[in-house]
Amino acid sequence: MAELFNQYRIGIIGGGQLGRMMVLAAKYMGYRATILDPTLDCPAVQVADEHIVGDYDDPKAIKHLTECSDVLTYEFENVDAAVLAPYEDRLPQGTKALIVAQDRINEKNFFEDLNIPIAPWAEIHCGGCLNANLTEIGYPCVLKTARGGYDGKGQVVLKSDEDKAAALELINDYDGTLVLEGWVPFVKEISVVISRNKRGACSIQPVAENIHKNNILHLTIAPARVAQNVQDEAKKLATQIVEGLDYAGTLAIEMFLKEDGSLVINEMAPRPHNSGHFSIEGTQNSQFDTHVRGIMNLAMPEVVANGQSVMLNLLGDELAQAQVRSIDEPTWHVHDYGKAEAKPGRKMGHLTIVTNDVEKTLEKLGEF
Ligand code: AMP
């Protein structure tokens, strides 16, 4: 007799909301989940079987997690690849995806090797270097730290010579290499969330259309309101990327859509992604289901949408407001990540509505 799935243990590095939603998917299938995270009562620990309190980069803590897990997975990309390298055979996502995603220079080289379209770019080490490359790339452009930036942090947009002072300040304050990127005049930002198993089979979520506020994802509409050929091309590029990494599990790719219908890749995240949260109710296999299926090397489903979805991120006090409103809104799926303190700008939860009238739903959400 084959072993029941409840005999398999998944070790998750990171205990945030992505880890929490991974556990919820893993648990209904029967798997056991252990979280490695330094914080007591973090979102994933509230729903997991076990918690190892420790740092993600602590080799001892990772070894301990490995000893109580059959398969390892990470829920964020800033884990030290060198610490995970000895356990590569138990890490279906692999360390290559970490090395590529942690550093914009590695990421750009990886995309270029695959002939994936990206914005013109240059490595920046100093002020002189910035001046030389500004001539080449031209305004507008954006300077980004190669490592450690997220949600627009560690970035300066340059529209004219007037913005050079802020760019020089970033170069001086940051201990490392930066990249200067040409500005992509996009009409829409979209993302593709794709999952793969080690046998090479993929599940791809409907392409998502993303609207940001203050550089943080605000709203996702899926399927994206873009032409079918754009959706097909976006999915093709995403498939090339997971194959190039020999990746298993869920990975997201953010892209810019230009007026002429062409796509430019912005960046990737080797994990489930905020822009894929709609899939929990909006499709028959969520990005967390297909993450678990991918890392456990199960067959991958063709993802079918349940309709159109609108997903709204709930930051700070917005979670409490949405919960109050949801008392009289039977179709609102309000997700609460279980964080104790609602700091301004902190991702506290999200709301998904599956609809057959996106415009009307957006109108209703207008007050958020
Ligand atoms: P990132 O941290 O690279 O995802 O950048 C955050 C946001 O800044 C993106 O979602 C875009 O809205 C914008 N952005 C970043 N880079 C570019 C670019 N090269 N061209 C146009 N918009 C950009």
Side-chain angles (χ1 to χ4, degrees):
M1 268 270 280
E3 281 201 329
L4 289 173
F5 282 11
N6 65 30
Q7 299 303 302
Y8 290 98
R9 301 158 308 163
I10 301 178
I12 304 179
I13 301 160
Q17 62 265 24
L18 300 176
R20 178 186 178 101
M21 290 183 271
M22 274 182 198
V23 175
L24 293 172
K27 289 306 297 175
Y28 87 78
M29 297 185 209
Y31 296 114
R32 290 169 187 271
T34 304
I35 305 297
L36 170 65
D37 195 285
T39 312
L40 295 176
D41 199 42
C42 58
V45 164
Q46 296 166 16
V47 294
D49 296 288
E50 283 179 82
H51 182 196
I52 296 171
V53 182
D55 277 323
Y56 325 110
D57 290 344
D58 175 359
K60 269 200 207 138
I62 296 279
K63 186 164 181 280
H64 184 186
L65 180 70
T66 309
E67 283 160 0
C68 22
S69 310
D70 298 296
V71 170
L72 294 175
T73 180
Y74 44 81
E75 59 120 45
F76 71 119
E77 56 274 38
N78 289 320
V79 191
D80 188 342
V83 175
L84 286 181
Y87 312 108
E88 189 86 40
D89 60 335
R90 269 199 250 173
L91 183 72
Q93 283 155 292
T95 53
K96 182 175 176 185
L98 287 177
I99 293 164
V100 169
Q102 275 168 7
D103 188 309
R104 291 186 192 274
I105 296 166
N106 294 345
E107 193 174 49
K108 287 177 188 306
N109 286 323
F110 169 72
F111 288 150
E112 280 182 345
D113 287 347
L114 291 176
N115 276 323
I116 299 263
I118 58 173
W121 68 285
E123 277 185 40
I124 303 294
H125 306 275
C126 60
C129 206
L130 176 73
N131 281 326
N133 284 290
L134 268 174
T135 322
E136 184 83 6
I137 288 178
Y139 294 119
C141 54
V142 51
L143 182 69
K144 301 178 179 179
T145 58
R147 301 176 73 92
Y150 64 96
D151 288 343
K153 292 189 178 68
Q155 298 191 10
V156 172
V157 176
L158 292 109
K159 292 187 178 140
S160 69
D161 281 349
E162 274 179 32
D163 299 314
K164 260 200 211 171
L168 289 172
E169 203 178 304
L170 179 62
I171 295 170
N172 288 333
D173 290 349
Y174 179 68
D175 180 22
T177 310
L178 301 94
V179 295
L180 186 67
E181 253 179 54
W183 191 258
V184 180
F186 61 84
V187 288
K188 268 191 179 146
E189 290 189 78
I190 63 170
S191 58
V192 178
V193 172
I194 181 166
S195 313
R196 181 174 179 271
N197 68 13
K198 277 286 175 194
R199 296 182 264 169
C202 290
S203 293
I204 313 182
Q205 296 292 341
V207 176
E209 173 180 341
N210 302 317
I211 295 157
H212 294 87
K213 244 191 204 175
N214 304 322
N215 273 317
I216 299 176
L217 181 65
H218 170 57
L219 190 95
T220 294
I221 298 164
R225 296 166 300 178
V226 300
Q228 187 60 49
N229 66 320
V230 170
Q231 299 185 38
D232 294 344
E233 179 62 16
K235 289 182 177 182
K236 195 179 111 202
L237 291 168
T239 308
Q240 260 181 282
I241 291 169
V242 283
E243 282 172 359
L245 293 167
D246 190 23
Y247 186 84
T250 292
L251 178 143
I253 300 117
E254 296 179 26
M255 310 180 183
F256 301 121
L257 171 63
K258 296 193 350 187
E259 187 132 42
D260 63 3
S262 64
L263 291 168
V264 173
I265 305 298
N266 178 22
E267 59 182 5
M268 63 172 224
R271 52 170 171 80
H273 193 252
N274 198 165
S275 68
H277 290 355
F278 75 89
S279 63
I280 297 175
E281 294 86 12
T283 74
Q284 290 184 16
N285 293 89
S286 81
Q287 62 165 344
F288 300 100
D289 278 17
T290 54
H291 180 68
V292 174
R293 295 194 68 88
I295 63 170
M296 299 313 288
N297 210 15
L298 309 182
M300 302 305 286
E302 187 173 336
V303 178
V304 176
N306 292 327
Q308 293 170 292
S309 297
V310 174
M311 189 287 307
L312 181 77
N313 260 345
L314 300 168
L315 310 183
D317 295 338
E318 290 165 356
L319 171 62
Q321 291 167 35
Q323 285 178 330
V324 169
R325 283 182 64 184
S326 74
I327 293 169
D328 293 314
E329 295 288 355
T331 62
W332 286 21
H333 299 276
V334 177
H335 293 245
D336 181 333
Y337 301 152
K339 297 180 185 176
E341 216 187 327
K343 290 184 202 152
R346 189 174 197 202
K347 289 181 184 172
M348 297 298 292
H350 72 265
L351 157 64
T352 299
I353 303 171
V354 181
T355 175
N356 50 21
D357 191 339
V358 167
E359 294 309 321
K360 216 162 131 192
T361 302
L362 290 176
E363 222 170 87
K364 193 162 182 181
L365 288 174
E367 301 125 61
F368 272 104

